Amino acid sequence: QQQVKQSPQSLIVQKGGISIINCAYENTAFDYFPWYQQFPGKGPALLIAIRPDVSEKKEGRFTISFNKSAKQFSLHIMDSQPGDSATYFCAASRMNTGFQKLVFGTGTRLLVSP
Amino acid sequence: NAGVTQTPKFQVLKTGQSMTLQCAQDMNHEYMSWYRQDPGMGLRLIHYSVGAGITDQGEVPNGYNVSRSTTEDFPLRLLSAAPSQTSVYFCASRTQGRAEAFFGQGTRLTVV
């Protein structure tokens, strides 16, 4: 049972375009939603995260939109650059368990063409 | 500051062999965990530890053992490797009260 569903599996975007990756979760006890970025041969690294008390969080070109009622959240990459080409994972966790268990989505491989 | 260091980076095992994947962190983080990454399945939690001497099972613990004798080290043991354990393994650490997990660079394991 996939607790966090992620789509699309892969995405090709032209340089300067907007990349959008979507995730949906089932467990309403989740209250921490990070996005991790992974380059080939490297481990995932935290990109941006949101908690359900806000509907949007922006850091530079990266924005998380959060819809609590729909149990969905998405990552938007504005002005996508070739250096953004990587695999992106959404995840979910619970603050009251000390964030001990991160549940990951299946990943989206993003390719930004020059 | 090395962060989270995993060794080896690559390993080929024969079915039935045993081995230990090493993970060390120099950030004095209380929490450490092991994930496996498989195509189309994301990262799945194998085992985790909230401190020296304390470990617990994650989502896919079968076939793996862990121990945590020091804050710095969290080795993952495969007692009898199976082809289904072919995967990329990541170790992560985190400090208490902070949500961000720091990952190592991974160990690519192939069981033939």
Side-chain angles (χ1 to χ4, degrees):
Chain A
Q1 180 185 5
Q2 191 70 35
Q3 294 192 57
V4 178
K5 296 183 179 180
Q6 183 172 347
S7 63
Q9 186 174 354
S10 62
L11 183 61
I12 300 175
V13 173
Q14 295 241 335
K15 179 181 176 182
I18 302 174
S19 304
I20 302 174
I21 304 171
N22 300 300
C23 284
Y25 63 97
E26 299 175 357
N27 187 346
T28 55
F30 288 143
D31 53 11
Y32 171 72
F33 302 92
W35 285 89
Y36 279 79
Q37 180 188 55
Q38 184 182 30
F39 294 105
K42 303 294 186 182
L46 180 65
L47 182 64
I48 186 173
I50 196 169
R51 295 185 182 168
D53 52 345
V54 296
S55 60
E56 185 175 283
K57 183 174 182 180
K58 184 176 181 179
E59 291 184 1
R61 296 184 294 108
F62 300 90
T63 300
I64 300 179
S65 297
F66 184 81
N67 185 330
K68 188 174 181 178
S69 61
K71 294 187 289 185
Q72 295 176 347
F73 58 108
S74 60
L75 176 69
H76 295 236
I77 306 175
M78 311 300 288
D79 187 26
S80 299
Q81 299 297 312
D84 297 330
S85 298
T87 299
Y88 293 82
F89 293 96
C90 62
S93 186
R94 295 171 59 184
M95 291 172 57
N96 66 359
T97 64
F99 310 106
Q100 289 177 19
K101 298 181 182 180
L102 271 174
V103 179
F104 283 88
T106 51
T108 296
R109 183 171 292 183
L110 171 65
L111 176 64
V112 181
S113 59
Chain B
N1 190 346
V4 179
T5 302
Q6 291 184 235
T7 56
K9 286 187 169 50
F10 302 93
Q11 183 70 49
V12 178
L13 283 180
K14 294 183 178 179
T15 297
Q17 285 185 318
S18 63
M19 81 159 295
T20 300
L21 279 63
Q22 301 291 344
C23 176
Q25 53 93 7
D26 61 0
M27 298 174 283
N28 203 31
H29 286 172
E30 297 86 354
Y31 298 138
M32 296 186 74
S33 53
W34 277 101
Y35 292 84
R36 59 177 289 172
Q37 182 176 12
D38 301 291
M41 304 194 73
L43 290 95
R44 293 179 292 168
L45 182 64
I46 303 171
H47 285 285
Y48 65 97
S49 170
V50 300
I54 306 171
T55 64
D56 206 347
Q57 297 181 349
E59 182 184 356
V60 287
N62 293 339
Y64 308 95
N65 282 345
V66 293
S67 60
R68 184 106 179 263
S69 57
T70 67
T71 299
E72 296 78 19
D73 301 298
F74 191 43
L76 179 72
R77 298 183 184 86
L78 285 71
L79 297 179
S80 179
S84 61
Q85 294 178 303
T86 293
S87 187
V88 181
Y89 292 85
F90 287 98
C91 178
S93 73
R94 182 173 58 78
T95 192
Q96 187 174 7
R98 295 288 304 272
E100 180 178 3
F102 294 84
F103 285 81
Q105 295 207 357
T107 295
R108 183 175 293 274
L109 176 67
T110 301
V111 182
V112 298

